[in-house]
Amino acid sequence: DKGNYRHFMLKEIHEQPVVVAQTLQSYLRPVEEQVALPQMDFDLSTVERVVIVACGTASYVGMVGKYWIESLARLPVEVDFASEFRYREPVLDGRILGVVISQSGETADTLAALRHMKANGVTTAGIINVPTSSMAREVDLLMPTHAGPEIGVASTKAFTCQLAVMAALAANLARARGKLTPEAERYIVHQLTEAPAAMNAALACDEAIAAVAKTISTARDVLYLGRGPEYPMALEGALKLKEISYIHAEGYASGEMKHGPIALIDENVPLIVLAPAGPLFDKTVSNMQEAQARGAQVVLISDAEGIAQAGDNCIATIEMPKVAPLIAPLVYAVPIQLLAYHVAVAKGTDVDQPRNLAKSVTVE
Ligand code: F6R
């Protein structure tokens, strides 16, 4: 039931504050101000390396997880597309935590990668939305997302719930390894607790996004830029746009622009820049300005501070609430989903059932 919404995707975008809060309930102990994981029969403190495997949107959660786990827990992390992982004879020596991420829990390549890891003695965990799925049954540690059924083919609420669980996993690994002071843990719990309200505030950009979507809908190519954890979010923004509007889009790490993609820039290629104010902001803005000097039409997604500093020559600025870096990916997911949505609506494509795509990819 779409309720009052025109499409399932729009409904699911709007459900995010609620389902992320629901999901976090299983991973936060607000009274003790601690993060938590479901009961497990292995010792997280013995993990020497994390290997994350997923497909599509779920793989971008893995990439964000690499930033979080490496910085918080000081553990090396590898992220791979499931379809690449299992065919390249990955080295699986040592004490590895293998993490699969999947909405459906049935994606053929991810399931095969999970079985490959298990067959090689790897302890596995899964961030999975469908609790009755094959992956949910087969992982050693199930970390459920509580997004509820996701109907729109383009993943939205499952994605942000996966990010929430990934943040909790990173913090739990950090605690198990003695890398998290009680103050740091309390801070993380507070930030995650505030994420749903911040996502709700982000939803208020809907009108501004709908207005700029008309311009974007006439483009042939669109580029997305981000740095740090916002780099995988740039990839996610580009994937969402491709999937439902059929406009060619690519996401790049901001610093990579001048190593090639900048050759694509002219006044016909809109550039979507994801840049929360913070330590990486100035660098991203200088990459953005290099593109503007070559005529790029920039949509800057930032907070009030970032927009005041760098919003002047943009065709649109989309204001996000000011948030801690840890939860920025959860919040910045909202405008990139809404942008893809409104561009697709402007183009008249089938938002919930894009051509050539299936909700669950059970062939390899
Ligand atoms: C993107 C999308 C796909 C899925 C991918 C993995 O919007 O929906 O890229 O993320 O097919 O699916 P799951 O998460 O079910 O393994």
Side-chain angles (χ1 to χ4, degrees), residues 55-58 101-105 107 153-155 162 239-240 243 361:
C55 298
T57 285
I101 308 168
S102 178
Q103 188 286 126
S104 63
T107 301
V153 163
S155 183
Q162 288 162 354
L239 180 65
K240 283 287 92 92
E243 280 186 292
V361 183

Side-chain angles (χ1 to χ4, degrees), residues 1-2 8-9 11-12 103 148-154 157 352-353 359:
D1 178 18
K2 287 190 282 230
F8 280 108
M9 184 183 178
K11 173 170 178 259
E12 290 166 359
Q103 188 286 126
E150 191 178 60
I151 309 294
V153 163
K157 62 177 181 170
D352 285 332
Q353 292 277 308
K359 184 65 190 159

Side-chain angles (χ1 to χ4, degrees), residues 34-334:
Q34 286 177 344
V35 292
L37 284 183
Q39 206 59 40
M40 67 187 97
D41 52 14
F42 59 91
D43 184 357
L44 270 190
S45 72
T46 64
V47 172
E48 293 168 343
R49 186 157 67 99
V50 179
V51 172
I52 305 177
V53 185
C55 298
T57 285
S59 76
Y60 302 143
V61 174
M63 290 176 68
V64 174
K66 178 178 169 76
Y67 289 89
W68 286 342
I69 295 170
E70 290 188 345
S71 66
L72 289 172
R74 309 301 301 148
L75 266 179
V77 179
E78 282 166 50
V79 190
D80 226 322
F81 295 122
S83 55
E84 289 297 317
F85 174 79
R86 65 201 196 85
Y87 296 115
R88 69 171 166 78
E89 301 181 48
V91 180
L92 296 172
D93 305 339
R95 290 182 201 277
I96 296 176
L97 179 65
V99 180
V100 292
I101 308 168
S102 178
Q103 188 286 126
S104 63
E106 301 294 349
T107 301
D109 279 315
T110 312
L111 182 58
L114 169 63
R115 290 177 176 160
H116 181 82
M117 289 197 278
K118 289 188 74 173
N120 283 276
V122 173
T123 300
T124 58
I127 302 177
I128 292 158
N129 196 45
V130 177
T132 52
S133 60
S134 304
M135 282 183 233
R137 287 194 306 268
E138 293 184 29
V139 287
D140 298 308
L141 171 65
L142 174 61
M143 294 180 288
T145 46
H146 302 297
E150 191 178 60
I151 309 294
V153 163
S155 183
T156 54
K157 62 177 181 170
F159 174 70
T160 44
C161 287
Q162 288 162 354
L163 284 172
V165 176
M166 181 56 84
L169 174 65
N172 275 283
L173 282 165
R175 191 180 55 196
R177 291 167 52 75
K179 307 283 182 198
L180 208 58
T181 61
E183 299 74 60
E185 186 165 2
R186 200 173 303 140
Y187 180 74
I188 289 172
V189 171
H190 284 186
Q191 296 316 320
L192 289 174
T193 306
E194 280 178 20
M199 294 171 79
N200 207 35
L203 283 165
C205 72
D206 190 65
E207 261 179 48
I209 298 259
V212 73
K214 294 210 172 59
T215 310
I216 307 291
S217 69
T218 63
R220 205 187 60 176
D221 309 283
V222 178
L223 301 185
Y224 288 72
L225 286 194
R227 200 178 263 270
E230 271 58 65
Y231 160 49
M233 299 307 293
L235 298 176
E236 169 63 1
L239 180 65
K240 283 287 92 92
L241 190 71
K242 279 186 264 214
E243 280 186 292
I244 62 168
S245 78
Y246 315 143
I247 294 176
H248 171 243
E250 298 298 336
Y252 289 103
S254 309
E256 277 294 296
M257 265 304 272
K258 54 179 158 303
H259 300 287
I262 200 161
L264 297 171
I265 293 290
D266 64 20
E267 53 289 345
N268 299 314
V269 182
L271 192 64
I272 317 297
V273 179
L274 308 175
L280 304 176
F281 182 78
D282 289 343
K283 291 243 159 72
T284 301
V285 164
S286 87
N287 302 132
M288 171 183 117
Q289 287 165 343
E290 285 156 12
Q292 282 175 317
R294 288 155 183 86
Q297 308 278 305
V298 172
V299 176
L300 174 63
I301 308 181
S302 185
D303 43 44
E305 188 189 331
I307 289 171
Q309 211 175 310
D312 276 357
N313 299 313
C314 299
I315 58 164
T317 54
I318 306 297
E319 187 176 330
M320 294 291 103
K322 173 113 181 84
V323 291
L326 176 69
I327 66 166
L330 286 124
V331 174
Y332 283 64
V334 171

